[in-house]
């Protein structure tokens, strides 16, 4: 439930051109209801607002009484999925007393009446998440100052359609006096601006919501109101919302070969009543059929698979567009979309691996496993680098020997290129990193024209080049930013440590990243030796007695489990541990004679488990309910090593994979079905205050 509060003291008296005399604040009341607010109150001052906030437990939207905007702008603010607290940010020139903001990576990092490096102006509206409500109340009291003595005796709710008419509506005295007298320009604006500046000063993490295509302005006089109304009338709200459903910035292939026509599919899906989750499931079905066709081989099947893969990717874009167009967001939907994207891609790799093997290439499955491992490790670095960059935007950088230099120059160059939207350098930068659109396009084209083997090799070659490029540049920039991120979360969870790592001693002064990289070397070396022996028609099974050595080297990574993860490059630790575990599983597969398809399936289950952790990190979700039952990367590796030495690698790997899949499914059911149902029942019992108004 969302409560909307209109801070209407001294709101401009401009009324709509119909001449009804309705105050702007009262019109906002009606718009907020249509935007999705469950309750709307109008208050006369910040002290009254603070008292009202003290009584609620759900999100609160606060707006000044000087905002003229499309209802869709308010609806987007109420439903924005980017974070719990979101502020409207405009590009207008600020009026006297209005707050300007500075943003980095979509976050408001500073706000006040005067900022030399301001990037926008506060739009007079902010949605505050439930966890930030105490800070909102404190900010309101701090911003009220001596004016708190003038607070009204109690909040008056706006009830029913009649609330939009006449001076006796909610907050009646202030609104009614404003409706027919001289314009009190900026008084309400000043109050909401002081509130937002105080909220930012108290350290609230606030995301910026920019207005595109639609219209939002803050007005201080009748002339400004008339101009804003004319701008509103000149925009088709529904058409603008459909265009807004497309991401503002995307990769080259998606921008020019998908988003040019996918909004029409989005509109059709909305009319048919399809949900974003339903579209996601259809997209998964298309990818599964494409994978089967790639495995079947033959020119007709390969071309048909390529077409289905392309259409599946279009639907993969449509599910997000449909969510943005219909404003149907949920933590479950975001998590499912992330998991489905990876599952689809890796199922396609399986189809290509089977197809290449079926066509006579001995190492088709090996290439598929390599492609899946590479992409997973890349995605882990992408996710944690994003966390690093977001954290860097919120923190002042300390002065270190690494500050400035090549890292600073690279950061400045990257910022310039990103700002030059549509240029050749902009598209090269976005394309060279091998995003999902380009990957799916490359798979479809190469599979249709040349076959599964060329497709897998192409994915691996471009993926390795992209990994080298992004890895080198991000390492340099991370050393320049010098911001640790793994020390801000549960490092044990995101390392995926199990009971063995928890009992290993901590080695100092070697950091956790150095230990993780050293741990990768053991399985990597043994895997190379095993593959060379297999390629020479030797027996890699003779290497099984080297497995304890490789395992001991891998367990070196566990010696950093209890160390502080506060180095500038420790964000790479999860990716290094994923690489170590997957390589060791591959070693067990080669040495233990595990069928390639079974090894692929086992690593696939591991990636699902690890993507669950990453998706929860990105969606700000808690740990999976059954995470401790997954044994940890080192526990699983020990089991596989013992099984391979005993000669039971295949049945144990199959059993362990099935067990992990069962734990994952049970965890999903608990996290998204059972626990939310319990929370919903508990929420039905009031725990704080009563319902205001």
């Amino acid at each position: 439930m969302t409560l909307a509060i209109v801070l209407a003291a001294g709101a401009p008296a401009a009324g709509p051109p119909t001449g009804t005399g309705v105050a702007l604040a009262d019109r906002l009341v009606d718009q907020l209801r249509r935007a999705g607010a469950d309750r709307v109150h109008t208050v006369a001052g910040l002290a009254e607002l603070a008292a009202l906030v003290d009584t609620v437990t759900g999100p609160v939207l606060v707006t000044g009484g000087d905002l003229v905007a499309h209802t869709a702008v308010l609806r987007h603010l109420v439903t924005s999925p980017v974070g719990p607290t979101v502020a409207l940010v405009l590009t207008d020139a600020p009026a006297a007393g209005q707050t300007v903001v500075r943003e980095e990576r979509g976050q408001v990092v500073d706000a006040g009446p005067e900022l030399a490096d301001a990037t926008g102006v506060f739009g007079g509206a902010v949605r505050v998440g439930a966890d930030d409500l105490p800070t909102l109340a404190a900010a309101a009291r701090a911003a009220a100052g001596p004016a708190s003595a003038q607070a009204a005796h109690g909040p008056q709710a706006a009830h029913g359609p009649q609330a939009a008419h006449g001076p006796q509506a909610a907050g009646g005295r202030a609104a009614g006096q404003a409706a027919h007298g001289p314009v009190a320009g900026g008084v309400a604006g000043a109050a909401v601006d002081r509130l937002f500046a105080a909220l930012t000063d108290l350290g609230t993490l606030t995301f910026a919501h920019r207005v595109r295509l639609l219209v939002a302005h803050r007005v201080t006089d009748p002339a400004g109101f008339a101009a804003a109304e004319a701008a509103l009338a000149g925009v088709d709200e529904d058409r603008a919302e459909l265009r807004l459903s497309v991401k503002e910035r995307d990769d080259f292939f998606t921008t020019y070969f998908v988003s040019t026509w996918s909004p029409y599919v989005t509109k059709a899906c909305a009319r048919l009543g399809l949900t974003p989750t339903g579209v996601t499931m259809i997209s998964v079905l298309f990818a599964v059929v494409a994978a089967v066709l790639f495995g079947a081989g033959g020119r007709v099947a390969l071309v048909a698979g390529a077409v289905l893969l392309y259409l599946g990717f279009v639907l993969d874009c449509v599910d997000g567009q449909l969510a943005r167009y219909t404003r149907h967001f949920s933590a479950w939907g975001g998590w499912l979309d992330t998991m489905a994207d990876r599952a689809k891609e890796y199922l396609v790799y399986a189809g290509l691996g089977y197809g290449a093997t079926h066509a006579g290439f001995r190492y088709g499955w090996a290439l598929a496993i390599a492609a899946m491992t590479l992409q997973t490790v890349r995605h882990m670095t992408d996710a944690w680098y994003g966390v690093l960059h977001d954290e860097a935007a919120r923190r002042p950088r300390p002065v270190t020997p690494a500050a400035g230099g090549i890292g600073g120059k690279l950061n400045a160059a990257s910022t310039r290129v990103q700002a030059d939207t549509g240029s050749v350098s902009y598209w090269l930068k976005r394309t060279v990193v091998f995003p999902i659109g380009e990957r799916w396009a490359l798979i479809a084209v190469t599979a249709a024209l040349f076959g599964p083997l060329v497709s897998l090799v192409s994915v691996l070659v471009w993926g390795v080049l992209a990994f080298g490029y992004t890895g080198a540049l991000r390492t340099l920039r991370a050393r320049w930013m010098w911001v640790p991120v793994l020390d801000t979360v549960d490092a044990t969870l995101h390392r995926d440590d199990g009971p063995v790592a928890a009992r290993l001693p901590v080695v100092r002064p070697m950091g956790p990243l150095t230990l993780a990289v050293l741990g990768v070397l053991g399985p990597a070396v043994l895997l190379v030796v095993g593959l060379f022996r297999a390629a020479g028609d030797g027996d890699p099974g003779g290497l099984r007695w080297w497995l304890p050595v490789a395992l001991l080297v891998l367990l070196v990574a566990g010696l950093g489990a209890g160390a502080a993860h506060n180095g500038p490059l420790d964000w790479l630790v999860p990716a290094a541990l994923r690489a170590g575990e997957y390589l060791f599983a591959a070693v067990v597969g080669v040495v233990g004679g595990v069928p390639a398809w079974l090894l692929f399936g086992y690593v696939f289950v591991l990636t699902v488990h690890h993507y669950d952790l990453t998706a929860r990190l990105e969606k700000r979700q808690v740990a999976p309910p059954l995470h401790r039952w997954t044994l940890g990367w080192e526990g699983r590796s020990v089991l596989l090593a013992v099984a391979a030495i005993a000669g039971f690698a295949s049945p144990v790997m199959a059993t362990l994979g099935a067990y992990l899949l069962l734990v994952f499914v049970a965890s999903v059911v608990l996290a998204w079905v059972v626990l939310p149902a319990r929370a919903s029942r508990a929420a039905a019992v009031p725990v704080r205050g009563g319902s205001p108004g």
Side-chain angles (χ1 to χ4, degrees):
M1 295 182 64
T2 300
L3 167 70
I5 302 175
V6 180
L7 186 55
T18 57
T20 61
V22 176
L24 180 54
D26 295 329
R27 192 177 73 165
L28 276 169
V29 169
D30 179 64
Q31 283 188 292
L32 288 166
R33 283 201 186 89
R34 289 186 282 120
D38 303 285
R39 294 174 294 156
V40 184
H41 291 259
T42 305
V43 300
L46 291 169
E48 185 180 349
L49 183 148
L52 179 55
V53 170
D54 283 337
T55 67
V56 298
T57 58
V60 171
L61 173 64
V62 180
T63 177
D66 59 349
L67 179 63
V68 176
H70 281 114
T71 301
V73 172
L74 299 173
R75 180 167 58 252
H76 292 180
L77 193 62
V78 169
T79 58
S80 176
V82 299
T85 297
V86 186
L88 189 65
V89 175
L90 309 176
T91 56
D92 299 357
Q98 288 183 347
T99 292
V100 292
V101 303
R102 179 166 63 87
E103 308 157 70
E104 287 190 27
R105 291 180 61 84
Q107 304 168 99
V108 176
V109 296
D110 201 1
E114 294 181 4
L115 292 177
D117 50 355
T119 57
V121 59
F122 173 52
V126 56
R127 188 200 73 199
V128 181
D131 291 342
D132 292 329
L133 291 182
T135 309
L136 175 63
R141 291 188 173 93
S148 61
Q150 303 173 6
H153 296 294
Q156 299 178 19
H159 299 287
Q162 67 271 23
H165 300 282
Q168 299 307 317
R173 287 196 304 274
Q177 291 166 4
H180 301 289
V183 173
V187 178
V192 76
D193 281 288
R194 292 198 309 272
L195 173 66
F196 182 66
L199 189 66
T200 304
D201 287 343
L202 290 175
T204 304
L205 173 58
T206 305
F207 294 86
H209 178 79
R210 287 277 185 171
V211 177
R212 293 191 300 126
L213 304 180
L214 297 167
V215 175
H217 296 293
R218 299 177 68 181
V219 300
T220 57
D221 52 44
F225 175 83
E229 283 287 277
L232 258 68
V235 174
D236 184 322
E237 202 165 346
D238 183 69
R239 180 176 297 178
E241 285 200 86
L242 186 59
R243 290 176 60 193
L244 286 171
S245 69
V246 177
K247 287 183 180 179
E248 185 176 8
R249 293 187 175 189
D250 218 326
D251 57 72
F252 182 85
F253 179 79
T254 306
T255 298
Y256 291 104
F257 295 92
V258 176
S259 297
T260 50
W261 65 279
S262 60
Y264 300 106
V265 181
T266 300
K267 183 78 170 181
C269 290
R271 288 178 174 173
L272 291 171
L274 292 176
T275 65
T277 298
V279 175
T280 298
M281 292 297 98
I282 298 173
S283 175
V284 170
L285 178 62
F286 275 40
V288 169
V289 176
V292 171
L293 291 172
F294 290 151
R299 187 60 54 198
V300 174
L302 292 174
V303 171
V307 172
L308 281 177
L309 189 64
Y310 168 66
L311 294 178
F313 180 66
V314 171
L315 292 177
D316 184 50
C317 297
V318 167
D319 61 5
Q321 294 173 9
L322 183 62
R324 289 184 285 273
Y325 180 58
T326 61
R327 311 309 294 178
H328 287 162
F329 300 112
S330 68
W332 157 252
W335 177 89
L336 180 64
D337 184 54
T338 299
M339 298 298 293
D341 284 350
R342 301 287 73 79
K344 289 184 296 185
E345 183 173 359
Y346 294 167
L347 288 174
V348 168
Y349 290 167
L352 293 172
Y354 178 83
T357 304
H358 186 65
F361 182 68
R362 182 178 179 181
Y363 299 106
W365 278 110
L367 291 178
I369 294 169
M372 179 169 56
T373 299
L374 174 65
Q375 290 302 331
T376 302
V377 174
R378 283 191 62 214
H379 289 145
M380 296 298 137
T381 62
D382 291 345
W384 283 99
Y385 184 74
V387 176
L388 167 78
H389 220 160
D390 289 342
E391 188 69 21
R394 295 191 286 268
R395 297 189 191 183
R397 277 188 303 274
V399 178
T400 69
I406 188 171
K409 293 177 181 178
L410 286 172
N411 190 67
S414 177
T415 301
R416 286 195 302 271
V417 171
Q418 291 288 3
D420 192 13
T421 308
S423 66
V424 173
S425 57
Y426 172 84
W427 286 122
L428 283 175
K429 179 178 174 59
R430 294 194 68 90
T431 302
V432 72
V433 298
F434 204 24
I436 186 171
E438 272 64 15
R439 289 201 304 276
W440 284 51
L442 180 67
I443 291 171
V445 171
T446 53
L449 296 179
F450 307 107
L453 176 59
V454 173
S455 188
L456 283 172
V457 171
S458 300
V459 167
L460 279 167
V461 170
W462 194 343
V464 168
L465 293 176
F467 193 27
Y469 166 77
T470 58
L473 295 186
R474 287 172 176 177
T475 297
L476 291 171
R477 293 180 69 183
R479 287 185 57 81
W480 170 73
M481 288 185 280
W482 204 270
V483 175
V485 291
L486 269 172
D487 65 345
T488 66
V489 298
D490 182 354
T492 299
L493 170 67
H494 292 290
R495 284 173 54 96
D496 194 25
D497 290 327
V500 177
R503 290 168 173 80
L504 292 176
V506 178
V507 172
R508 295 184 177 90
M510 300 177 72
L513 178 60
T514 301
L515 292 168
V517 172
L518 289 175
V520 174
L521 296 180
V525 170
L526 190 56
L527 177 61
V528 170
V529 173
L531 289 176
F532 270 111
R533 180 171 290 192
D537 293 325
D539 180 18
L543 298 172
R544 72 173 57 185
W545 297 110
W546 285 95
L547 278 175
V549 177
L551 178 63
L552 287 175
V553 176
L554 176 63
L555 291 178
V556 166
L559 298 176
H565 289 62
N566 54 9
L569 300 180
D570 284 349
W571 55 278
L572 291 167
V573 168
L577 292 174
R578 302 300 85 84
E581 182 178 9
Y582 299 168
L583 287 175
F584 190 80
V587 168
V588 170
V590 172
V591 173
V594 176
W597 60 266
L598 176 56
L599 177 59
F600 182 95
Y602 176 75
V603 176
F604 176 82
V605 172
L606 289 181
T607 65
V608 168
H609 165 60
H610 289 134
Y611 274 116
D612 185 22
L613 298 179
T614 304
R616 289 173 180 277
L617 173 75
E618 294 174 341
K619 308 304 178 186
R620 304 177 187 89
Q621 299 295 308
V622 297
L626 302 179
H627 180 260
R628 65 190 181 93
W629 293 97
T630 59
L631 308 178
W633 61 270
E634 81 290 358
R636 296 186 292 265
S637 298
V638 168
L639 284 177
L640 290 181
V642 172
I645 294 172
F648 299 103
S650 293
V652 171
M653 183 174 286
T655 302
L656 182 57
Y659 166 77
L660 292 173
L661 185 60
L662 180 63
V663 170
F664 170 76
V665 172
S667 188
V668 169
V669 173
L670 281 173
W672 300 108
V673 180
V674 177
L675 296 180
R678 290 179 182 174
S680 179
R681 289 194 296 269
V685 180
V687 294
R688 280 182 62 190
S691 177

